[in-house]
Amino acid sequence: MLQYLKRVIVMLAIERKNEILAILQKEQRVLVSELSKRYDVTDETIRRDLEKLESEGYVKKTYGGAVLNKNTKVDMPLRIREKTNRSEKQIIARLVSDLIEEGDRIMMDASSTSLMIAKELKSKSKLTVITNSVEVLIELAGHEGIQVISTGGNLNETSLSLVGNAAQKVLNGYHVDKAVFSCKGIDIHNGLTDSNELDSDIKNVMYSCADTAVLAVDSSKFDKVSFVKTMQMKRGDILVTDRNLAEEWKAFLAERGVRLVVPEE
Protein backbone atom coordinates (compact mmCIF):
# COMPACT_ATOMS: atom_id res chain seq x y z
CA MET A 1 0.00 0.00 0.00
CA LEU A 2 2.84 2.36 0.90
CA GLN A 3 4.59 1.73 -2.44
CA TYR A 4 1.32 2.39 -4.28
CA LEU A 5 0.85 5.71 -2.49
CA LYS A 6 4.42 6.70 -3.32
CA ARG A 7 3.80 5.98 -7.02
CA VAL A 8 0.59 8.05 -6.94
CA ILE A 9 2.42 10.98 -5.33
CA VAL A 10 5.17 10.80 -7.95
CA MET A 11 2.64 10.70 -10.80
CA LEU A 12 0.74 13.67 -9.38
CA ALA A 13 3.99 15.62 -9.13
CA ILE A 14 4.84 14.85 -12.77
CA GLU A 15 1.37 15.85 -13.94
CA ARG A 16 1.59 19.08 -11.92
CA LYS A 17 4.98 19.96 -13.44
CA ASN A 18 3.66 19.29 -16.94
CA GLU A 19 0.67 21.52 -16.29
CA ILE A 20 2.94 24.27 -14.95
CA LEU A 21 5.00 24.02 -18.14
CA ALA A 22 1.85 24.29 -20.24
CA ILE A 23 0.80 27.42 -18.30
CA LEU A 24 4.27 28.91 -18.83
CA GLN A 25 4.10 28.19 -22.56
CA LYS A 26 0.89 30.20 -22.72
CA GLU A 27 1.46 32.97 -20.16
CA GLN A 28 5.29 33.11 -20.03
CA ARG A 29 5.36 33.50 -16.22
CA VAL A 30 3.88 31.95 -13.06
CA LEU A 31 3.63 32.91 -9.36
CA VAL A 32 4.27 30.47 -6.52
CA SER A 33 1.30 31.78 -4.50
CA GLU A 34 -1.13 31.29 -7.40
CA LEU A 35 0.13 27.80 -8.22
CA SER A 36 0.00 26.62 -4.60
CA LYS A 37 -3.68 27.67 -4.41
CA ARG A 38 -4.44 26.11 -7.81
CA TYR A 39 -3.01 22.71 -6.84
CA ASP A 40 -3.79 22.89 -3.11
CA VAL A 41 -0.18 22.29 -2.08
CA THR A 42 2.35 24.29 -0.06
CA ASP A 43 4.47 27.09 -1.48
CA GLU A 44 7.51 24.95 -0.75
CA THR A 45 6.16 22.13 -2.94
CA ILE A 46 5.74 24.53 -5.85
CA ARG A 47 9.23 25.96 -5.30
CA ARG A 48 10.64 22.43 -5.53
CA ASP A 49 8.72 21.91 -8.79
CA LEU A 50 10.16 25.13 -10.20
CA GLU A 51 13.67 24.21 -9.04
CA LYS A 52 13.35 20.90 -10.89
CA LEU A 53 12.11 22.64 -14.04
CA GLU A 54 14.97 25.13 -13.78
CA SER A 55 17.54 22.33 -13.47
CA GLU A 56 16.05 20.80 -16.65
CA GLY A 57 16.46 24.11 -18.45
CA TYR A 58 12.78 24.94 -18.98
CA VAL A 59 12.35 27.90 -16.62
CA LYS A 60 14.23 30.64 -14.81
CA LYS A 61 13.23 31.25 -11.22
CA THR A 62 12.35 34.80 -10.24
CA TYR A 63 11.31 36.45 -6.98
CA GLY A 64 7.99 34.84 -6.11
CA GLY A 65 7.76 32.66 -9.20
CA ALA A 66 9.37 31.78 -12.53
CA VAL A 67 9.46 32.74 -16.19
CA LEU A 68 9.76 30.57 -19.28
CA ASN A 69 13.36 30.05 -20.38
CA LYS A 70 13.66 31.56 -23.86
CA ASN A 71 16.91 29.65 -24.47
CA THR A 72 16.48 28.47 -28.06
CA LYS A 73 18.49 25.31 -27.40
CA VAL A 74 15.83 23.93 -25.05
CA ASP A 75 13.09 21.82 -26.63
CA MET A 76 9.80 21.44 -24.78
CA PRO A 77 8.51 17.86 -24.40
CA LEU A 78 6.05 16.83 -27.11
CA ARG A 79 3.32 16.30 -24.49
CA ILE A 80 3.57 19.99 -23.59
CA ARG A 81 3.77 21.23 -27.18
CA GLU A 82 0.63 19.24 -28.02
CA LYS A 83 -1.30 21.42 -25.56
CA THR A 84 0.09 24.70 -26.91
CA ASN A 85 -1.75 26.67 -29.62
CA ARG A 86 -4.05 23.69 -30.23
CA SER A 87 -6.76 25.65 -32.05
CA GLU A 88 -4.20 27.23 -34.37
CA LYS A 89 -2.65 23.85 -35.14
CA GLN A 90 -6.06 22.34 -35.81
CA ILE A 91 -6.74 25.07 -38.38
CA ILE A 92 -3.38 24.33 -40.03
CA ALA A 93 -4.07 20.58 -39.95
CA ARG A 94 -7.31 21.00 -41.89
CA LEU A 95 -5.64 23.26 -44.45
CA VAL A 96 -2.76 20.82 -44.96
CA SER A 97 -5.14 17.87 -45.26
CA ASP A 98 -6.86 19.69 -48.13
CA LEU A 99 -3.47 19.92 -49.90
CA ILE A 100 -2.86 16.17 -49.64
CA GLU A 101 -4.37 14.21 -52.53
CA GLU A 102 -5.51 10.61 -52.55
CA GLY A 103 -2.60 8.40 -53.55
CA ASP A 104 0.07 10.87 -52.41
CA ARG A 105 3.33 9.62 -50.95
CA ILE A 106 4.35 11.94 -48.13
CA MET A 107 6.97 12.37 -45.43
CA MET A 108 6.04 13.82 -42.04
CA ASP A 109 8.28 15.07 -39.24
CA ALA A 110 7.84 14.59 -35.48
CA SER A 111 6.37 18.00 -34.66
CA SER A 112 3.18 18.44 -32.64
CA THR A 113 1.67 20.09 -35.74
CA SER A 114 2.34 16.96 -37.81
CA LEU A 115 0.54 14.90 -35.18
CA MET A 116 -2.51 17.14 -35.59
CA ILE A 117 -2.25 16.76 -39.38
CA ALA A 118 -2.04 12.97 -39.05
CA LYS A 119 -5.40 12.97 -37.25
CA GLU A 120 -6.94 14.82 -40.21
CA LEU A 121 -5.34 12.49 -42.75
CA LYS A 122 -7.30 9.54 -41.41
CA SER A 123 -10.17 10.73 -43.62
CA LYS A 124 -8.07 9.74 -46.68
CA SER A 125 -8.50 6.30 -48.23
CA LYS A 126 -5.15 5.91 -49.99
CA LEU A 127 -1.83 7.35 -48.77
CA THR A 128 1.75 6.33 -48.11
CA VAL A 129 3.24 8.07 -45.06
CA ILE A 130 6.93 7.89 -44.16
CA THR A 131 7.67 9.38 -40.75
CA ASN A 132 10.22 9.60 -37.96
CA SER A 133 7.48 10.39 -35.43
CA VAL A 134 6.54 7.71 -32.91
CA GLU A 135 3.24 9.49 -32.26
CA VAL A 136 2.32 9.75 -35.96
CA LEU A 137 3.09 6.06 -36.38
CA ILE A 138 0.72 5.20 -33.54
CA GLU A 139 -1.95 7.62 -34.77
CA LEU A 140 -2.05 6.13 -38.27
CA ALA A 141 -1.36 2.50 -37.35
CA GLY A 142 -3.98 0.05 -38.58
CA HIS A 143 -5.83 2.66 -40.63
CA GLU A 144 -7.03 0.90 -43.77
CA GLY A 145 -5.70 2.46 -46.95
CA ILE A 146 -2.79 4.28 -45.30
CA GLN A 147 0.57 2.56 -45.58
CA VAL A 148 2.88 3.76 -42.80
CA ILE A 149 6.67 3.42 -43.03
CA SER A 150 8.91 4.10 -40.03
CA THR A 151 12.41 5.49 -40.46
CA GLY A 152 13.76 3.67 -37.45
CA GLY A 153 16.75 5.30 -35.78
CA ASN A 154 17.69 6.58 -32.34
CA LEU A 155 14.84 7.73 -30.11
CA ASN A 156 14.79 11.35 -28.96
CA GLU A 157 12.69 10.99 -25.81
CA THR A 158 11.80 14.69 -25.62
CA SER A 159 10.29 14.96 -29.10
CA LEU A 160 9.44 11.24 -29.50
CA SER A 161 11.28 11.40 -32.81
CA LEU A 162 13.55 8.85 -34.48
CA VAL A 163 16.78 10.53 -35.54
CA GLY A 164 20.37 9.88 -36.56
CA ASN A 165 22.14 8.31 -39.53
CA ALA A 166 19.88 5.24 -39.66
CA ALA A 167 16.75 7.39 -39.96
CA GLN A 168 18.35 9.60 -42.60
CA LYS A 169 19.45 6.58 -44.63
CA VAL A 170 15.89 5.24 -44.77
CA LEU A 171 14.51 8.63 -45.85
CA ASN A 172 17.13 8.95 -48.58
CA GLY A 173 15.89 5.69 -50.07
CA TYR A 174 12.56 7.24 -51.07
CA HIS A 175 11.18 9.93 -53.35
CA VAL A 176 7.83 11.43 -52.32
CA ASP A 177 5.25 13.89 -53.58
CA LYS A 178 5.21 16.06 -50.47
CA ALA A 179 7.20 16.57 -47.28
CA VAL A 180 5.21 18.01 -44.38
CA PHE A 181 7.05 19.53 -41.43
CA SER A 182 7.14 22.38 -38.97
CA CYS A 183 9.87 24.33 -37.17
CA LYS A 184 10.58 26.23 -33.95
CA GLY A 185 11.03 29.60 -35.67
CA ILE A 186 10.63 31.25 -39.06
CA ASP A 187 12.30 34.53 -39.96
CA ILE A 188 12.71 36.50 -43.18
CA HIS A 189 16.49 36.71 -42.82
CA ASN A 190 17.29 33.36 -41.17
CA GLY A 191 14.67 31.13 -42.76
CA LEU A 192 13.45 28.09 -40.81
CA THR A 193 15.25 27.31 -37.55
CA ASP A 194 15.01 24.50 -35.00
CA SER A 195 16.19 23.75 -31.48
CA ASN A 196 18.60 20.87 -32.23
CA GLU A 197 20.75 19.53 -35.03
CA LEU A 198 19.31 15.99 -35.14
CA ASP A 199 15.71 17.04 -35.86
CA SER A 200 16.95 19.75 -38.23
CA ASP A 201 18.98 17.18 -40.20
CA ILE A 202 15.89 14.98 -40.61
CA LYS A 203 13.86 17.88 -41.99
CA ASN A 204 16.61 18.78 -44.46
CA VAL A 205 16.63 15.20 -45.76
CA MET A 206 12.83 15.19 -46.10
CA TYR A 207 13.05 18.49 -47.94
CA SER A 208 15.50 17.05 -50.47
CA CYS A 209 13.39 13.92 -51.06
CA ALA A 210 10.11 15.66 -51.94
CA ASP A 211 8.71 17.33 -55.04
CA THR A 212 6.92 19.86 -52.82
CA ALA A 213 7.62 21.03 -49.28
CA VAL A 214 4.59 21.89 -47.13
CA LEU A 215 5.75 24.03 -44.23
CA ALA A 216 3.12 23.96 -41.46
CA VAL A 217 3.93 26.80 -39.07
CA ASP A 218 1.57 28.37 -36.52
CA SER A 219 1.55 32.14 -36.17
CA SER A 220 3.46 32.15 -32.85
CA LYS A 221 6.62 30.98 -34.70
CA PHE A 222 6.89 33.95 -37.08
CA ASP A 223 9.78 36.40 -36.60
CA LYS A 224 11.36 33.95 -34.12
CA VAL A 225 14.86 32.52 -34.50
CA SER A 226 15.84 29.26 -32.79
CA PHE A 227 19.27 27.67 -32.34
CA VAL A 228 19.89 25.70 -35.55
CA LYS A 229 19.43 27.08 -39.05
CA THR A 230 17.49 24.48 -41.06
CA MET A 231 16.72 25.90 -44.52
CA GLN A 232 15.57 28.83 -46.62
CA MET A 233 12.27 28.54 -48.47
CA LYS A 234 12.45 28.20 -52.24
CA ARG A 235 10.15 28.51 -55.25
CA GLY A 236 7.39 25.92 -55.23
CA ASP A 237 7.24 25.53 -51.43
CA ILE A 238 3.88 25.91 -49.68
CA LEU A 239 3.66 27.77 -46.36
CA VAL A 240 0.54 27.01 -44.31
CA THR A 241 -0.36 29.05 -41.24
CA ASP A 242 -3.42 29.85 -39.14
CA ARG A 243 -3.89 33.54 -39.92
CA ASN A 244 -3.11 36.14 -42.55
CA LEU A 245 0.40 37.59 -42.56
CA ALA A 246 1.78 41.13 -42.55
CA GLU A 247 2.37 42.75 -45.93
CA GLU A 248 6.15 42.42 -45.45
CA TRP A 249 5.83 38.66 -45.22
CA LYS A 250 3.46 38.46 -48.19
CA ALA A 251 5.88 40.45 -50.35
CA PHE A 252 8.81 38.28 -49.24
CA LEU A 253 6.98 35.02 -50.02
CA ALA A 254 5.77 36.30 -53.39
CA GLU A 255 9.32 37.29 -54.33
CA ARG A 256 10.56 33.84 -53.35
CA GLY A 257 7.78 32.06 -55.26
CA VAL A 258 6.39 30.48 -52.08
CA ARG A 259 2.65 29.82 -52.02
CA LEU A 260 0.89 31.07 -48.87
CA VAL A 261 -2.15 29.16 -47.58
CA VAL A 262 -4.22 30.72 -44.78
CA PRO A 263 -7.84 30.32 -43.62
CA GLU A 264 -10.47 32.21 -45.56
CA GLU A 265 -11.59 35.38 -43.80
Side-chain angles (χ1 to χ4, degrees), residues 190-203:
N190 293 283
L192 276 67
T193 54
D194 235 300
S195 57
N196 68 78
E197 292 90 343
L198 292 173
D199 284 324
S200 179
D201 288 345
I202 289 290
K203 292 172 188 182

Side-chain angles (χ1 to χ4, degrees), residues 3-246:
Q3 287 297 109
Y4 171 76
L5 289 174
K6 285 181 178 178
R7 285 198 297 271
V8 170
I9 291 170
V10 170
M11 287 303 297
L12 288 174
I14 293 171
E15 290 174 8
R16 187 174 61 246
K17 284 200 308 174
N18 284 341
E19 286 188 16
I20 291 171
L21 268 180
I23 294 169
L24 277 161
Q25 279 281 88
K26 183 177 181 180
E27 301 180 7
Q28 306 297 302
R29 65 187 296 273
V30 291
L31 294 175
V32 170
S33 57
E34 292 179 357
L35 291 175
S36 61
K37 289 178 183 177
R38 182 185 183 120
Y39 296 107
D40 194 24
V41 295
T42 65
D43 287 0
E44 187 57 36
T45 297
I46 296 298
R47 289 192 188 97
R48 285 197 296 269
D49 288 343
L50 295 178
E51 285 171 2
K52 179 66 173 174
L53 291 172
E54 185 176 49
S55 70
E56 294 170 352
Y58 296 125
V59 310
K60 291 182 179 179
K61 288 183 66 181
T62 61
Y63 181 75
V67 296
L68 187 67
N69 185 4
K70 296 295 183 66
N71 186 338
T72 54
K73 297 182 184 180
V74 177
D75 195 9
M76 282 286 176
L78 180 64
R79 299 299 186 194
I80 304 303
R81 289 186 280 119
E82 284 177 8
K83 300 176 182 178
T84 306
N85 300 326
R86 283 187 64 88
S87 60
E88 290 87 346
K89 291 172 184 175
Q90 285 170 343
I91 290 170
I92 292 170
R94 289 191 288 269
L95 293 172
V96 172
S97 179
D98 289 342
L99 295 172
I100 304 299
E101 301 174 22
E102 295 286 357
D104 268 353
R105 300 158 300 176
I106 65 175
M107 290 180 176
M108 299 181 70
D109 75 346
S111 62
S112 56
T113 305
S114 280
L115 179 56
M116 289 276 194
I117 294 167
K119 297 176 188 294
E120 292 291 326
L121 292 182
K122 290 195 288 187
S123 64
K124 307 290 183 183
S125 59
K126 186 179 181 183
L127 285 179
T128 299
V129 178
I130 306 168
T131 184
N132 72 317
S133 167
V134 174
E135 292 280 20
V136 170
L137 288 169
I138 294 171
E139 185 67 34
L140 296 178
H143 188 77
E144 188 175 354
I146 299 182
Q147 180 186 9
V148 187
I149 300 172
S150 170
T151 62
N154 299 323
L155 177 65
N156 180 333
E157 294 184 7
T158 300
S159 60
L160 294 180
S161 59
L162 299 166
V163 295
N165 291 333
Q168 293 179 44
K169 184 176 180 181
V170 170
L171 290 171
N172 275 316
Y174 293 96
H175 173 263
V176 295
D177 300 294
K178 299 178 179 79
V180 179
F181 53 88
S182 189
C183 61
K184 295 297 186 296
I186 181 168
D187 177 77
I188 285 176
H189 303 292
N190 293 283
L192 276 67
T193 54
D194 235 300
S195 57
N196 68 78
E197 292 90 343
L198 292 173
D199 284 324
S200 179
D201 288 345
I202 289 290
K203 292 172 188 182
N204 272 308
V205 175
M206 289 183 174
Y207 193 64
S208 68
C209 293
D211 289 334
T212 303
V214 179
L215 314 172
V217 186
D218 73 74
S219 51
S220 70
K221 309 287 180 59
F222 281 81
D223 302 313
K224 302 287 178 61
V225 180
S226 197
F227 181 53
V228 181
K229 289 186 177 182
T230 301
M231 67 190 67
Q232 290 284 352
M233 291 174 287
K234 69 178 190 309
R235 185 169 298 277
D237 292 347
I238 303 173
L239 177 61
V240 184
T241 189
D242 55 276
R243 65 181 65 174
N244 217 342
L245 298 181

